[in-house]
Amino acid sequence: MKRTTIIVQALLISMGCAVLLAAVSWLGGEAGEAAPANAALLDKHEQPVELNHDNLVDELIAWTLLVPVAKVELSGSVLSLDFRITEGADQPDRLYQGLAQAIDRAFAGTSNVHRLLVRFIAEDRWLGNKYLLLAADVRRGEWPRDALEELRTRGNRELSHELKRWFRVTETSLWKTMIR
């Protein structure tokens, strides 16, 4: 008799928990509406995070960058990003926006990144060759606030001398032929 009572109590507690979880889920959103897998990551960026090897991949996924990342490396306070450029994605304005986005996320979204190294690398899918198009060596706090907006809205025009200096941009001859 005592054993039956314990089993009944355990079942009632389990059912109560299930009902409580369903109610909490229902209050959190519409029934049948699936939250994105990285919703927790997207919501937690109110405070800058400290990037480390344990959270690097999760944080970069949450950044949802315009240009796909081919390689990432974190060494101390230096974050290195290689962006893969394929056919049709080599428009200068898109790359400038991608660079601005990476700078914004790296410095506004983190507390420990003080230097960002970015390379845009074009890949020839037929031959498998890789070509450096554009590189930047950006350091925290070494540019005016409106520089990111200027970079975002640059369009397909060549970067100004100031933007190149502030973000330490290096353009290859291949890149220069693309924007002329």
Side-chain angles (χ1 to χ4, degrees), residues 91-176:
Q91 296 299 316
D93 64 333
R94 185 170 173 85
L95 301 189
Y96 292 153
Q97 289 174 16
L99 177 59
Q101 191 180 39
I103 293 169
D104 185 44
R105 301 286 196 297
F107 295 120
T110 68
S111 61
N112 63 320
V113 173
H114 296 288
R115 187 175 179 195
L116 175 66
L117 302 174
V118 176
R119 296 187 312 171
F120 290 95
I121 300 172
E123 292 186 14
D124 183 336
R125 67 181 178 137
W126 298 106
L127 300 175
N129 295 337
K130 296 179 182 181
Y131 306 96
L132 178 65
L133 296 175
L134 189 70
D137 179 356
V138 187
R139 297 172 190 195
R140 186 183 288 269
E142 292 190 10
W143 69 88
R145 272 203 167 284
D146 59 341
L148 277 181
E149 188 58 31
E150 185 179 340
L151 184 60
R152 276 189 193 98
T153 59
R154 194 70 193 162
N156 289 330
R157 297 173 294 151
E158 186 175 358
L159 292 177
S160 68
H161 177 71
E162 290 81 19
L163 285 174
K164 289 179 188 177
R165 185 171 44 89
W166 292 327
F167 298 129
R168 292 178 178 84
V169 173
T170 303
E171 300 171 323
T172 64
S173 56
L174 180 59
W175 176 256
K176 289 177 182 178

Coordinates of all heavy atoms in Angstrom, one line a residue, residues 91-176:
Q91 N 31.3 42.1 -54.7 CA 31.0 43.5 -54.9 C 31.6 44.3 -53.8 O 31.5 44.0 -52.6 CB 29.4 43.7 -54.9 CG 28.7 43.0 -56.0 CD 29.2 43.6 -57.4 OE1 29.3 44.8 -57.5 NE2 29.4 42.7 -58.3
P92 N 32.3 45.4 -54.1 CA 33.0 46.2 -53.1 C 32.1 46.7 -52.0 O 32.5 46.6 -50.8 CB 33.6 47.4 -53.9 CG 33.8 46.8 -55.3 CD 32.6 45.9 -55.5
D93 N 30.9 47.1 -52.3 CA 30.0 47.6 -51.2 C 29.6 46.5 -50.2 O 29.6 46.8 -49.0 CB 28.7 48.2 -51.8 CG 27.8 47.3 -52.6 OD1 28.4 46.3 -53.1 OD2 26.6 47.5 -52.6
R94 N 29.4 45.3 -50.7 CA 29.1 44.2 -49.8 C 30.3 43.9 -48.9 O 30.2 43.6 -47.7 CB 28.7 43.0 -50.6 CG 28.3 41.8 -49.8 CD 27.7 40.7 -50.6 NE 27.4 39.5 -49.9 CZ 26.3 39.3 -49.2 NH1 25.4 40.2 -49.2 NH2 26.1 38.2 -48.6
L95 N 31.5 43.9 -49.5 CA 32.7 43.7 -48.6 C 33.0 44.8 -47.6 O 33.4 44.5 -46.5 CB 33.9 43.4 -49.5 CG 33.8 42.3 -50.5 CD1 35.1 42.0 -51.2 CD2 33.3 41.0 -49.9
Y96 N 32.7 46.0 -48.0 CA 32.9 47.1 -47.1 C 31.9 47.0 -46.0 O 32.2 47.2 -44.8 CB 32.7 48.5 -47.8 CG 33.7 48.9 -48.8 CD1 33.4 49.7 -49.9 CD2 35.0 48.4 -48.7 CE1 34.4 50.1 -50.8 CE2 36.0 48.8 -49.7 CZ 35.7 49.6 -50.7 OH 36.6 50.0 -51.6
Q97 N 30.7 46.6 -46.3 CA 29.6 46.4 -45.2 C 30.0 45.3 -44.3 O 29.9 45.3 -43.1 CB 28.3 46.2 -45.9 CG 27.7 47.4 -46.5 CD 26.4 47.1 -47.3 OE1 25.8 46.0 -47.1 NE2 26.0 48.0 -48.1
G98 N 30.6 44.2 -44.9 CA 31.0 43.0 -44.1 C 32.2 43.4 -43.2 O 32.2 43.0 -42.1
L99 N 33.1 44.2 -43.7 CA 34.2 44.7 -42.9 C 33.7 45.6 -41.7 O 34.1 45.4 -40.6 CB 35.2 45.5 -43.7 CG 36.4 46.1 -43.0 CD1 37.2 45.0 -42.2 CD2 37.3 46.9 -43.9
A100 N 32.8 46.5 -42.0 CA 32.2 47.3 -41.0 C 31.4 46.5 -40.0 O 31.5 46.8 -38.8 CB 31.2 48.4 -41.6
Q101 N 30.7 45.5 -40.4 CA 30.0 44.6 -39.5 C 30.9 43.9 -38.6 O 30.7 43.8 -37.4 CB 29.2 43.7 -40.3 CG 28.1 42.9 -39.6 CD 27.4 42.0 -40.5 OE1 27.9 41.4 -41.4 NE2 26.1 41.8 -40.2
A102 N 32.0 43.3 -39.1 CA 33.0 42.6 -38.3 C 33.7 43.5 -37.3 O 33.9 43.1 -36.2 CB 34.1 42.0 -39.3
I103 N 34.0 44.7 -37.7 CA 34.6 45.7 -36.8 C 33.6 46.0 -35.7 O 34.0 46.0 -34.5 CB 35.0 47.0 -37.5 CG1 36.2 46.7 -38.5 CG2 35.4 48.1 -36.5 CD1 36.5 47.8 -39.5
D104 N 32.4 46.3 -36.0 CA 31.4 46.6 -35.0 C 31.2 45.5 -34.0 O 31.2 45.7 -32.8 CB 30.1 47.0 -35.7 CG 29.0 47.4 -34.7 OD1 29.3 48.2 -33.8 OD2 27.9 47.0 -34.9
R105 N 31.0 44.3 -34.5 CA 30.8 43.1 -33.6 C 32.0 42.8 -32.8 O 31.9 42.5 -31.6 CB 30.5 41.9 -34.4 CG 29.3 41.9 -35.3 CD 28.0 41.9 -34.5 NE 26.8 41.6 -35.3 CZ 26.3 42.4 -36.3 NH1 26.9 43.4 -36.7 NH2 25.1 42.0 -36.9
A106 N 33.2 42.9 -33.4 CA 34.5 42.6 -32.6 C 34.7 43.6 -31.5 O 35.2 43.1 -30.4 CB 35.6 42.5 -33.6
F107 N 34.4 44.8 -31.7 CA 34.8 45.8 -30.7 C 33.6 46.2 -29.8 O 33.8 46.4 -28.6 CB 35.4 47.0 -31.3 CG 36.7 46.7 -31.9 CD1 36.9 46.9 -33.3 CD2 37.8 46.1 -31.2 CE1 38.1 46.6 -33.9 CE2 39.0 45.8 -31.8 CZ 39.2 46.0 -33.2
A108 N 32.4 46.3 -30.3 CA 31.2 46.7 -29.5 C 30.7 45.4 -28.8 O 30.1 45.6 -27.7 CB 30.2 47.3 -30.4
G109 N 30.9 44.3 -29.4 CA 30.3 43.1 -28.8 C 31.2 42.3 -27.9 O 30.7 41.3 -27.3
T110 N 32.5 42.7 -27.8 CA 33.4 41.9 -26.9 C 34.1 42.9 -26.0 O 34.2 44.1 -26.3 CB 34.4 41.2 -27.8 OG1 35.3 42.1 -28.4 CG2 33.8 40.3 -28.8
S111 N 34.6 42.3 -25.0 CA 35.4 43.2 -24.0 C 36.9 43.0 -24.1 O 37.7 43.8 -23.6 CB 34.9 42.9 -22.6 OG 35.2 41.5 -22.3
N112 N 37.3 41.9 -24.7 CA 38.8 41.6 -24.7 C 39.5 41.6 -26.1 O 40.6 41.4 -26.1 CB 39.0 40.2 -24.1 CG 38.3 39.1 -24.9 OD1 37.2 39.2 -25.4 ND2 39.0 38.0 -25.0
V113 N 38.7 41.9 -27.1 CA 39.4 42.0 -28.5 C 39.9 43.5 -28.6 O 39.1 44.4 -28.6 CB 38.4 41.6 -29.6 CG1 39.1 41.9 -31.0 CG2 38.0 40.2 -29.5
H114 N 41.2 43.6 -28.8 CA 41.7 44.9 -29.0 C 42.3 45.1 -30.4 O 42.7 46.3 -30.7 CB 42.8 45.2 -27.9 CG 42.2 45.2 -26.5 ND1 41.5 46.3 -26.1 CD2 42.3 44.3 -25.5 CE1 41.1 46.0 -24.8 NE2 41.6 44.8 -24.5
R115 N 42.4 44.1 -31.1 CA 43.0 44.1 -32.5 C 42.2 43.1 -33.3 O 42.0 42.0 -32.9 CB 44.4 43.8 -32.5 CG 45.1 44.0 -33.8 CD 46.6 43.8 -33.6 NE 47.3 44.0 -34.9 CZ 48.6 43.6 -35.1 NH1 49.3 43.0 -34.1 NH2 49.1 43.8 -36.3
L116 N 41.8 43.6 -34.5 CA 41.1 42.7 -35.4 C 41.8 42.7 -36.8 O 42.1 43.7 -37.4 CB 39.7 43.2 -35.7 CG 38.8 42.5 -36.7 CD1 38.5 41.1 -36.3 CD2 37.5 43.3 -37.0
L117 N 42.2 41.5 -37.2 CA 42.9 41.3 -38.5 C 41.9 40.6 -39.4 O 41.3 39.6 -39.1 CB 44.1 40.4 -38.3 CG 45.2 40.9 -37.3 CD1 46.3 39.8 -37.2 CD2 45.8 42.2 -37.8
V118 N 41.6 41.3 -40.5 CA 40.6 40.8 -41.5 C 41.3 40.6 -42.8 O 42.0 41.5 -43.3 CB 39.4 41.8 -41.6 CG1 38.4 41.3 -42.6 CG2 38.8 41.9 -40.2
R119 N 41.0 39.5 -43.5 CA 41.4 39.3 -44.9 C 40.2 38.8 -45.7 O 39.5 37.9 -45.3 CB 42.5 38.2 -45.0 CG 43.8 38.6 -44.3 CD 44.9 37.7 -44.5 NE 44.6 36.3 -44.3 CZ 45.4 35.3 -44.6 NH1 46.6 35.5 -45.1 NH2 45.0 34.0 -44.3
F120 N 40.1 39.4 -46.9 CA 39.1 38.9 -47.8 C 39.8 38.2 -48.9 O 40.7 38.7 -49.6 CB 38.3 40.1 -48.4 CG 37.4 40.8 -47.5 CD1 37.8 41.9 -46.8 CD2 36.1 40.3 -47.2 CE1 36.9 42.5 -45.9 CE2 35.3 40.9 -46.4 CZ 35.7 42.0 -45.7
I121 N 39.5 36.9 -49.0 CA 40.2 36.0 -49.9 C 39.2 35.4 -51.0 O 38.2 34.8 -50.6 CB 40.8 34.8 -49.1 CG1 41.8 35.4 -48.1 CG2 41.5 33.9 -50.1 CD1 42.4 34.4 -47.2
A122 N 39.6 35.7 -52.2 CA 38.8 35.2 -53.3 C 39.2 33.8 -53.7 O 40.4 33.5 -53.7 CB 38.9 36.1 -54.6
E123 N 38.2 32.9 -53.9 CA 38.5 31.5 -54.3 C 38.1 31.3 -55.7 O 36.9 31.5 -56.0 CB 37.9 30.6 -53.3 CG 38.4 30.6 -51.9 CD 37.9 29.6 -51.0 OE1 37.2 28.6 -51.5 OE2 38.0 29.7 -49.8
D124 N 38.9 30.7 -56.5 CA 38.6 30.3 -57.8 C 38.1 28.9 -57.7 O 38.9 28.0 -57.5 CB 39.8 30.4 -58.8 CG 39.5 30.1 -60.2 OD1 38.5 29.3 -60.4 OD2 40.2 30.5 -61.1
R125 N 36.8 28.7 -57.9 CA 36.3 27.3 -57.7 C 36.7 26.3 -58.7 O 36.7 25.1 -58.5 CB 34.8 27.4 -57.6 CG 34.1 27.7 -58.9 CD 32.6 27.7 -58.6 NE 31.9 28.1 -59.9 CZ 30.8 27.5 -60.3 NH1 30.3 26.6 -59.7 NH2 30.3 28.0 -61.4
W126 N 37.1 26.8 -59.9 CA 37.6 25.9 -61.0 C 39.0 25.4 -60.8 O 39.3 24.2 -60.9 CB 37.4 26.5 -62.3 CG 36.0 26.9 -62.6 CD1 35.5 28.1 -62.6 CD2 34.9 26.0 -62.9 NE1 34.1 28.1 -62.9 CE2 33.8 26.7 -63.1 CE3 34.9 24.6 -63.1 CZ2 32.6 26.2 -63.4 CZ3 33.6 24.0 -63.4 CH2 32.5 24.8 -63.6
L127 N 39.9 26.3 -60.4 CA 41.3 26.0 -60.2 C 41.7 25.7 -58.8 O 42.7 25.2 -58.5 CB 42.2 27.1 -60.8 CG 42.0 27.4 -62.3 CD1 42.8 28.7 -62.7 CD2 42.3 26.2 -63.1
G128 N 40.8 26.2 -57.8 CA 41.2 26.0 -56.4 C 42.2 27.0 -55.9 O 42.6 26.9 -54.8
N129 N 42.5 28.0 -56.7 CA 43.4 29.0 -56.3 C 42.8 30.0 -55.3 O 41.6 30.3 -55.5 CB 44.0 29.8 -57.5 CG 44.9 28.9 -58.3 OD1 45.4 27.8 -57.9 ND2 45.0 29.2 -59.6
K130 N 43.6 30.6 -54.5 CA 43.1 31.7 -53.5 C 43.9 32.9 -53.8 O 45.1 32.9 -53.9 CB 43.2 31.2 -52.1 CG 42.3 30.0 -51.8 CD 42.5 29.5 -50.4 CE 41.7 28.3 -50.1 NZ 41.8 27.9 -48.7
Y131 N 43.2 34.1 -53.7 CA 43.8 35.3 -54.0 C 43.4 36.3 -52.9 O 42.2 36.5 -52.7 CB 43.4 35.9 -55.3 CG 43.6 34.9 -56.5 CD1 42.6 34.1 -57.0 CD2 44.9 34.9 -57.1 CE1 42.9 33.2 -58.0 CE2 45.1 34.0 -58.1 CZ 44.1 33.2 -58.6 OH 44.3 32.3 -59.6
L132 N 44.3 37.0 -52.3 CA 44.0 38.1 -51.3 C 43.5 39.3 -52.1 O 44.2 39.7 -53.0 CB 45.3 38.4 -50.5 CG 45.1 39.5 -49.5 CD1 44.1 39.1 -48.4 CD2 46.4 39.9 -48.9
L133 N 42.4 39.8 -51.6 CA 41.8 41.0 -52.2 C 42.1 42.2 -51.4 O 42.5 43.3 -51.9 CB 40.3 40.8 -52.5 CG 39.8 39.8 -53.4 CD1 38.3 39.7 -53.4 CD2 40.3 40.1 -54.8
L134 N 41.7 42.1 -50.1 CA 41.7 43.2 -49.2 C 42.0 42.8 -47.8 O 41.6 41.7 -47.4 CB 40.3 43.8 -49.2 CG 40.0 45.1 -48.6 CD1 40.6 46.3 -49.4 CD2 38.5 45.4 -48.6
A135 N 42.8 43.6 -47.1 CA 43.1 43.2 -45.7 C 43.0 44.4 -44.8 O 43.2 45.6 -45.3 CB 44.5 42.6 -45.6
A136 N 42.7 44.2 -43.5 CA 42.6 45.3 -42.6 C 43.2 44.9 -41.3 O 43.1 43.7 -40.9 CB 41.2 45.8 -42.4
D137 N 43.9 45.9 -40.6 CA 44.4 45.7 -39.3 C 43.8 46.7 -38.4 O 44.3 47.9 -38.3 CB 46.0 45.8 -39.3 CG 46.6 45.6 -38.0 OD1 45.9 45.5 -37.0 OD2 47.9 45.6 -38.0
V138 N 42.7 46.4 -37.7 CA 41.9 47.4 -37.0 C 42.2 47.3 -35.5 O 42.2 46.2 -35.0 CB 40.4 47.2 -37.3 CG1 39.6 48.3 -36.7 CG2 40.1 47.1 -38.8
R139 N 42.4 48.5 -34.9 CA 42.6 48.5 -33.5 C 41.6 49.3 -32.7 O 41.1 50.3 -33.2 CB 44.0 49.1 -33.2 CG 45.0 48.1 -33.9 CD 46.4 48.7 -33.9 NE 47.2 47.8 -34.8 CZ 48.5 47.8 -34.9 NH1 49.1 48.6 -34.1 NH2 49.1 47.0 -35.7
R140 N 41.2 48.8 -31.6 CA 40.1 49.4 -30.8 C 40.4 50.8 -30.5 O 41.5 51.2 -30.1 CB 40.0 48.6 -29.5 CG 38.8 49.0 -28.6 CD 38.8 48.3 -27.3 NE 38.3 46.9 -27.4 CZ 37.1 46.5 -27.4 NH1 36.1 47.4 -27.2 NH2 36.8 45.2 -27.5
G141 N 39.4 51.6 -30.8 CA 39.5 53.1 -30.4 C 40.3 53.9 -31.3 O 40.6 55.1 -30.9
E142 N 40.8 53.5 -32.4 CA 41.7 54.3 -33.2 C 41.1 54.8 -34.4 O 41.7 55.1 -35.4 CB 43.0 53.5 -33.6 CG 43.9 53.2 -32.4 CD 45.2 52.6 -32.8 OE1 45.5 52.6 -34.0 OE2 45.9 52.1 -31.9
W143 N 39.8 55.1 -34.4 CA 39.0 55.7 -35.5 C 37.9 56.4 -34.9 O 37.4 56.1 -33.8 CB 38.5 54.6 -36.5 CG 37.5 53.7 -35.9 CD1 36.1 54.0 -36.0 CD2 37.6 52.5 -35.2 NE1 35.4 52.9 -35.4 CE2 36.3 52.0 -34.9 CE3 38.7 51.7 -34.9 CZ2 36.1 50.8 -34.2 CZ3 38.5 50.6 -34.2 CH2 37.2 50.1 -33.9
P144 N 37.4 57.5 -35.6 CA 36.2 58.2 -35.1 C 35.0 57.4 -35.2 O 34.9 56.5 -36.0 CB 36.2 59.5 -36.0 CG 37.1 59.2 -37.2 CD 38.0 58.0 -36.8
R145 N 34.0 57.8 -34.4 CA 32.7 57.0 -34.4 C 32.0 56.9 -35.8 O 31.4 55.9 -36.1 CB 31.7 57.7 -33.4 CG 31.9 57.2 -32.0 CD 30.6 57.4 -31.3 NE 30.5 56.8 -30.0 CZ 30.2 55.5 -29.9 NH1 30.1 54.7 -30.9 NH2 30.1 55.0 -28.7
D146 N 32.0 58.0 -36.5 CA 31.3 58.0 -37.8 C 32.1 57.2 -38.9 O 31.5 57.1 -40.0 CB 31.0 59.4 -38.2 CG 32.3 60.3 -38.4 OD1 33.4 59.9 -37.9 OD2 32.2 61.3 -39.1
A147 N 33.3 56.7 -38.6 CA 34.0 56.0 -39.7 C 33.3 54.7 -40.1 O 33.4 54.4 -41.3 CB 35.4 55.7 -39.1
L148 N 32.7 54.0 -39.1 CA 32.0 52.8 -39.5 C 30.8 53.1 -40.4 O 30.6 52.3 -41.4 CB 31.5 52.1 -38.2 CG 32.5 51.2 -37.5 CD1 31.9 50.5 -36.3 CD2 33.1 50.2 -38.4
E149 N 30.1 54.1 -40.1 CA 29.0 54.5 -41.0 C 29.5 54.9 -42.4 O 28.9 54.5 -43.4 CB 28.1 55.6 -40.4 CG 26.9 55.9 -41.1 CD 26.0 54.6 -41.2 OE1 25.9 53.8 -40.4 OE2 25.2 54.5 -42.3
E150 N 30.6 55.6 -42.5 CA 31.2 55.9 -43.7 C 31.6 54.7 -44.5 O 31.4 54.6 -45.7 CB 32.4 56.9 -43.5 CG 32.9 57.4 -44.8 CD 34.1 58.3 -44.6 OE1 34.3 58.9 -43.5 OE2 34.9 58.5 -45.5
L151 N 32.2 53.7 -43.8 CA 32.6 52.5 -44.4 C 31.4 51.7 -45.0 O 31.4 51.2 -46.1 CB 33.4 51.6 -43.4 CG 34.0 50.3 -43.9 CD1 34.9 50.6 -45.1 CD2 34.7 49.6 -42.8
R152 N 30.3 51.7 -44.2 CA 29.1 50.9 -44.6 C 28.4 51.5 -45.8 O 27.9 50.8 -46.6 CB 28.0 51.0 -43.4 CG 28.2 50.0 -42.4 CD 27.0 50.0 -41.4 NE 27.3 49.2 -40.3 CZ 27.7 49.7 -39.1 NH1 27.8 51.0 -39.0 NH2 28.0 48.9 -38.1
T153 N 28.5 52.8 -45.9 CA 27.8 53.5 -47.0 C 28.7 53.9 -48.2 O 28.3 54.7 -49.0 CB 27.1 54.8 -46.5 OG1 28.0 55.6 -45.9 CG2 26.0 54.4 -45.5
R154 N 29.9 53.4 -48.2 CA 30.9 53.7 -49.2 C 30.5 53.3 -50.6 O 30.9 53.9 -51.6 CB 32.2 53.1 -48.9 CG 33.4 53.6 -49.6 CD 33.7 55.0 -49.2 NE 34.6 55.7 -50.1 CZ 34.7 56.9 -50.1 NH1 34.1 57.7 -49.3 NH2 35.6 57.5 -51.0
G155 N 29.6 52.4 -50.8 CA 29.2 51.9 -52.1 C 30.3 51.2 -52.8 O 31.2 50.5 -52.1
N156 N 30.4 51.3 -54.1 CA 31.5 50.6 -54.9 C 32.6 51.5 -55.2 O 33.5 51.2 -56.0 CB 30.9 50.1 -56.2 CG 29.9 48.9 -55.9 OD1 30.1 48.2 -55.0 ND2 28.9 48.8 -56.7
R157 N 32.7 52.6 -54.4 CA 33.8 53.6 -54.7 C 35.1 53.1 -53.8 O 34.9 52.5 -52.8 CB 33.4 55.0 -54.3 CG 32.3 55.5 -55.1 CD 31.8 56.8 -54.6 NE 31.1 56.6 -53.3 CZ 31.1 57.4 -52.3 NH1 31.6 58.6 -52.5 NH2 30.5 57.1 -51.2
E158 N 36.2 53.6 -54.3 CA 37.4 53.4 -53.6 C 37.4 54.0 -52.2 O 36.7 55.0 -52.0 CB 38.6 53.9 -54.3 CG 40.0 53.6 -53.8 CD 41.1 54.1 -54.6 OE1 40.9 54.6 -55.7 OE2 42.3 53.8 -54.2
L159 N 38.0 53.4 -51.2 CA 38.0 53.9 -49.8 C 38.8 55.2 -49.8 O 39.8 55.4 -50.5 CB 38.7 52.9 -48.9 CG 37.9 51.6 -48.6 CD1 38.7 50.7 -47.7 CD2 36.5 51.9 -48.0
S160 N 38.4 56.1 -48.9 CA 39.1 57.4 -48.8 C 40.4 57.1 -48.1 O 40.6 56.1 -47.4 CB 38.3 58.3 -47.9 OG 38.1 57.9 -46.6
H161 N 41.3 58.0 -48.2 CA 42.6 57.9 -47.5 C 42.5 57.8 -46.0 O 43.2 57.0 -45.4 CB 43.5 59.1 -47.9 CG 44.8 59.1 -47.2 ND1 45.8 58.2 -47.6 CD2 45.3 59.9 -46.2 CE1 46.9 58.4 -46.8 NE2 46.6 59.4 -45.9
E162 N 41.5 58.5 -45.5 CA 41.3 58.5 -44.0 C 40.8 57.1 -43.6 O 41.3 56.6 -42.6 CB 40.2 59.5 -43.6 CG 40.7 60.9 -43.7 CD 40.6 61.5 -45.1 OE1 39.8 60.9 -46.0 OE2 41.3 62.5 -45.4
L163 N 39.9 56.5 -44.3 CA 39.4 55.2 -43.9 C 40.5 54.1 -44.0 O 40.6 53.3 -43.1 CB 38.2 54.7 -44.8 CG 36.9 55.4 -44.5 CD1 35.9 55.0 -45.6 CD2 36.4 55.0 -43.2
K164 N 41.3 54.2 -45.0 CA 42.5 53.3 -45.2 C 43.4 53.5 -44.0 O 43.9 52.5 -43.5 CB 43.2 53.6 -46.5 CG 42.4 53.1 -47.7 CD 43.3 53.4 -49.0 CE 42.5 53.2 -50.2 NZ 43.2 53.5 -51.4
R165 N 43.6 54.7 -43.6 CA 44.6 55.0 -42.5 C 43.9 54.5 -41.1 O 44.6 53.8 -40.4 CB 44.9 56.4 -42.4 CG 45.9 56.8 -41.4 CD 46.4 58.3 -41.5 NE 45.3 59.2 -41.7 CZ 44.7 59.8 -40.8 NH1 45.0 59.6 -39.5 NH2 43.7 60.7 -41.0
W166 N 42.7 54.8 -40.9 CA 42.1 54.5 -39.6 C 42.0 53.0 -39.4 O 42.2 52.5 -38.3 CB 40.6 55.1 -39.5 CG 40.6 56.6 -39.4 CD1 41.5 57.4 -38.8 CD2 39.6 57.4 -39.9 NE1 41.2 58.7 -38.9 CE2 40.0 58.8 -39.6 CE3 38.5 57.2 -40.6 CZ2 39.2 59.9 -39.9 CZ3 37.7 58.3 -41.0 CH2 38.1 59.6 -40.6
F167 N 41.6 52.3 -40.5 CA 41.4 50.8 -40.4 C 42.6 50.0 -40.9 O 42.6 48.8 -41.0 CB 40.2 50.4 -41.1 CG 38.9 51.0 -40.6 CD1 38.0 51.7 -41.4 CD2 38.6 50.9 -39.2 CE1 36.8 52.2 -40.9 CE2 37.5 51.5 -38.7 CZ 36.6 52.1 -39.5
R168 N 43.7 50.7 -41.3 CA 44.9 50.1 -41.8 C 44.6 49.1 -42.9 O 44.9 47.9 -42.8 CB 45.7 49.4 -40.7 CG 46.3 50.4 -39.7 CD 47.0 49.6 -38.6 NE 47.6 50.5 -37.6 CZ 47.0 51.1 -36.6 NH1 45.7 50.8 -36.4 NH2 47.6 51.9 -35.8
V169 N 43.9 49.6 -43.9 CA 43.5 48.8 -45.0 C 44.6 48.7 -46.1 O 45.2 49.6 -46.5 CB 42.2 49.3 -45.7 CG1 41.8 48.6 -46.9 CG2 41.1 49.3 -44.7
T170 N 44.8 47.4 -46.5 CA 45.7 47.2 -47.6 C 44.9 46.6 -48.8 O 44.1 45.6 -48.6 CB 46.8 46.1 -47.2 OG1 47.5 46.6 -46.1 CG2 47.8 45.9 -48.3
E171 N 45.1 47.2 -49.9 CA 44.3 46.8 -51.1 C 45.4 46.1 -52.1 O 46.4 46.7 -52.4 CB 43.7 48.0 -51.8 CG 42.6 48.7 -51.0 CD 42.2 49.9 -51.6 OE1 43.0 50.7 -52.3 OE2 41.0 50.3 -51.5
T172 N 45.0 45.0 -52.6 CA 45.9 44.4 -53.6 C 45.6 44.9 -55.0 O 44.5 45.6 -55.2 CB 45.7 42.8 -53.6 OG1 44.3 42.6 -54.1 CG2 45.9 42.2 -52.3
S173 N 46.4 44.7 -55.9 CA 46.2 45.1 -57.3 C 44.9 44.5 -57.9 O 44.2 45.1 -58.7 CB 47.4 44.9 -58.2 OG 47.7 43.5 -58.2
L174 N 44.7 43.3 -57.5 CA 43.4 42.6 -58.0 C 42.2 43.3 -57.5 O 41.2 43.6 -58.2 CB 43.4 41.1 -57.5 CG 42.2 40.3 -57.9 CD1 42.1 40.3 -59.5 CD2 42.3 38.9 -57.4
W175 N 42.2 43.8 -56.2 CA 41.1 44.5 -55.7 C 40.9 45.9 -56.4 O 39.8 46.3 -56.7 CB 41.3 44.8 -54.2 CG 40.3 45.6 -53.6 CD1 40.4 47.0 -53.3 CD2 39.0 45.3 -53.3 NE1 39.2 47.4 -52.7 CE2 38.3 46.4 -52.7 CE3 38.2 44.1 -53.4 CZ2 37.0 46.4 -52.3 CZ3 36.9 44.1 -52.9 CH2 36.3 45.2 -52.4
K176 N 42.0 46.5 -56.7 CA 42.0 47.8 -57.3 C 41.4 47.7 -58.7 O 40.7 48.6 -59.2 CB 43.4 48.5 -57.4 CG 43.8 48.9 -56.0 CD 45.2 49.5 -56.1 CE 45.7 49.9 -54.7 NZ 47.1 50.4 -54.7

